[in-house]
Amino acid sequence: MSKFREIRRELHRIPEPGFQEVKTQALLLKYLRQLPADRVEIKTWCTGILVRIKGTIGKRRIAYRADIDGLPITEETSYEFRSEHEGYMHACGHDMHMAIAVGVASHFAHHPIEDDVIVIFQPAEEGPGGAEPMMRSEEYRAWKPDLILALHIAPEYPVGQIAVRPGTLFARTAEIFIELKGKGGHAAYPHQAKDMIIAAAQLVMQLQTIISRNLDPLDAAVITIGKITGGVRQNVIAERVRLEGTIRTLSDAATKTVRSRIEDILHGIEAGYGCEATVEYGADYVQVDNDEALTKEFMAWMRGEQQQVEEPLRMELVECGAAMTGEDFGFFLTETPGFMFWLGVDSPYGLHHAKLEPKEEAIDQAISLVTRYITWKSRQHAGKEQRDR
Ligand SMILES: CC(=O)N[C@@H](CCC[C@H](N)C(=O)O)C(=O)O
């Protein structure tokens, strides 16, 4: 088994919530500090890490970013290296992303190229979002890249395939938190209470009508309420219910409509159920907008270059559509050109599922692909500089 698959397994055992990735950071540092110290500089930022691998010219910087947090999901995989953190799991593939990033750093530490390579281990992608604050940090600004890439595992694609598209890859996302406050009481006297379980049930159904009845059917959007908490026991009418969810959109117009309709519906719930309804928005991620020209260039490069790569590292390119997943990698792309792509890992259970089991062969394939592309891109920069002289 490759060293990077072993690192992935070690990381898989210790998933941690956003901005609490303390053991994860320590484990990553242990491996990164084994790289040749004369070529590699390491900085930490919160629970994240930035690594600079010095280039032979070092005029430009190419960045590769991985996210490092886990999810509050109780693991149900068949792995013998299951999570040791009760109730937490790497259910979005960040263990794979990190192992690939360590592989990329290790490759360039041993095979330096013209450009500097910056490898970014970013906390809190699932929430509340580590990209934006990391980008504002001195540590990041000092090594701000000229080009940035990232990948995300894709359970629905086979191992050996990647999928990408120029333009929007992922949706804008906004976390939503709704509190309903009515009047508690005895289960046998509903007429004397204001039952927030009934109000919440009605609210969840009404929210879905925003998608089906207020938006242009061709303007995609999703509202998911992923968590409802409320009530105290089976024979007490619930005074309070909290709903937590996420809104996904692909246009500013859809975002505006969704938010304004949520307000309208909440006013209706207040009037209809004699309760108080308040809404708060949490982390709001911009779309992941892949740079058109760079992505097209990458796609053309890949179609040609992969012909020369031998099995089992050869990969096939698929052009995909946009997805309603979100990623705070989108923030990096607002100031640095680059792109994100999907990496096929072939799991019958999808992202955010307790049985997600990405195939580890994809780790070595991804390291090979990313390092080849970055090397090619760096040579292209160096060639251009020579011609400009
Ligand atoms: C790739 C992926 O699954 N990303 C997450 C990002 C979370 C965004 C935010 N915290 C939210 O839920 O709105 C996703 O759920 O798409």
Side-chain angles (χ1 to χ4, degrees):
M1 194 194 337
S2 85
K3 180 176 161 196
F4 306 109
R5 294 191 201 184
E6 279 173 27
I7 293 175
R8 181 258 165 167
R9 291 182 179 201
E10 280 190 73
L11 289 162
H12 189 84
R13 289 182 207 268
I14 54 165
E16 296 166 295
F19 289 126
Q20 294 173 50
E21 304 95 334
V22 178
K23 289 191 202 169
T24 306
Q25 186 189 48
L27 185 67
L28 290 168
L29 286 172
K30 182 182 101 177
Y31 287 108
L32 294 168
R33 285 182 179 144
Q34 289 169 13
L35 299 177
D38 55 329
R39 297 218 187 97
V40 176
E41 264 182 89
I42 300 172
K43 292 191 220 172
T44 57
W45 172 83
C46 289
T47 45
I49 305 172
L50 295 120
V51 182
R52 180 167 83 101
I53 300 125
K54 289 175 210 152
T56 53
I57 299 177
K59 268 198 159 177
R60 295 174 60 95
R61 300 186 198 106
I62 303 182
Y64 179 76
R65 171 273 198 181
D67 40 12
I68 70 170
D69 52 322
L71 279 164
I73 292 177
T74 301
E75 181 162 355
E76 290 174 32
T77 64
S78 60
Y79 290 154
E80 53 82 24
F81 54 92
R82 269 194 293 281
S83 167
E84 290 165 4
H85 291 176
E86 191 53 40
Y88 272 85
M89 176 185 171
H90 272 300
C92 202
H94 300 187
D95 51 342
M96 301 279 288
H97 301 169
M98 287 185 273
I100 293 164
V102 175
V104 170
S106 171
H107 173 90
F108 289 117
H110 294 104
H111 306 92
I113 52 172
E114 296 82 355
D115 289 337
D116 281 359
V117 176
I118 311 295
V119 181
I120 299 167
F121 295 89
Q122 178 225 297
E125 184 273 332
E126 297 293 347
E132 261 194 306
M134 187 181 229
M135 284 168 66
R136 285 196 299 268
S137 73
E138 268 177 36
E139 291 80 357
Y140 180 84
R141 307 292 326 154
W143 291 346
K144 184 174 170 290
D146 300 291
L147 187 159
I148 189 161
L149 340 168
L151 61 78
H152 202 293
I153 64 155
E156 61 278 26
Y157 287 96
V159 170
Q161 249 182 25
I162 68 154
V164 72
R165 76 188 301 265
T168 302
L169 185 72
F170 288 179
R172 174 174 172 179
T173 69
E175 296 171 0
I176 179 170
F177 304 99
I178 298 171
E179 299 272 358
L180 299 178
K181 183 174 176 297
K183 187 175 168 210
H186 196 292
Y189 302 96
H191 54 295
Q192 293 173 3
K194 311 268 186 217
D195 185 350
M196 289 305 98
I197 297 279
I198 299 287
Q202 177 73 26
L203 174 59
V204 170
M205 301 309 286
Q206 276 197 32
L207 289 175
Q208 294 310 320
T209 66
I210 300 174
I211 308 296
S212 68
R213 286 297 169 267
N214 302 127
L215 285 176
D216 181 334
L218 297 178
D219 198 0
V222 173
I223 300 176
T224 291
I225 298 298
K227 183 174 175 187
I228 302 182
T229 39
V232 285
R233 59 169 283 145
Q234 115 294 339
N235 63 350
V236 177
I237 286 176
E239 179 158 307
R240 287 173 184 273
V241 170
R242 179 178 167 85
L243 300 95
E244 301 180 20
T246 178
I247 301 167
R248 312 294 166 105
T249 52
L250 290 177
S251 72
D252 288 345
T255 303
K256 214 166 148 215
T257 306
V258 169
R259 289 194 181 207
S260 107
R261 284 297 296 143
I262 287 174
E263 305 283 338
D264 295 345
I265 288 172
L266 287 179
H267 288 138
I269 293 283
E270 284 182 321
Y273 293 90
C275 63
E276 276 172 42
T278 51
V279 59
E280 269 179 37
Y281 294 97
D284 189 344
Y285 296 172
V286 294
Q287 291 179 183
V288 173
D289 285 329
N290 283 342
D291 183 274
E292 295 265 351
L294 268 173
T295 312
K296 282 183 187 157
E297 184 195 57
F298 167 72
M299 292 167 80
W301 167 83
M302 198 176 153
R303 284 191 181 110
E305 205 264 356
Q306 288 295 303
Q307 307 303 323
Q308 297 148 38
V309 179
E310 309 236 318
E311 294 289 351
L313 296 177
R314 184 180 305 154
M315 303 201 80
E316 188 197 345
L317 173 77
V318 173
E319 182 158 358
C320 59
M324 300 310 272
T325 29
E327 248 283 1
D328 62 353
F329 179 67
F331 288 114
F332 289 105
L333 295 179
T334 60
E335 65 167 36
T336 300
F339 56 90
M340 171 171 255
F341 64 88
W342 288 111
L343 171 72
V345 294
D346 189 16
S347 163
Y349 295 96
L351 297 175
H352 296 195
H353 196 284
K355 292 186 178 171
L356 172 78
E357 290 190 11
K359 299 247 179 347
E360 288 177 333
E361 302 90 282
I363 294 175
D364 306 305
Q365 292 178 333
I367 295 169
S368 167
L369 176 70
V370 169
T371 54
R372 280 164 189 273
Y373 171 70
I374 292 178
T375 305
W376 175 76
K377 205 60 203 162
S378 173
R379 288 207 182 119
Q380 192 191 56
H381 292 155
K384 185 174 178 307
E385 241 160 53
Q386 263 187 352
R387 284 194 301 279
D388 289 351
R389 250 185 247 141

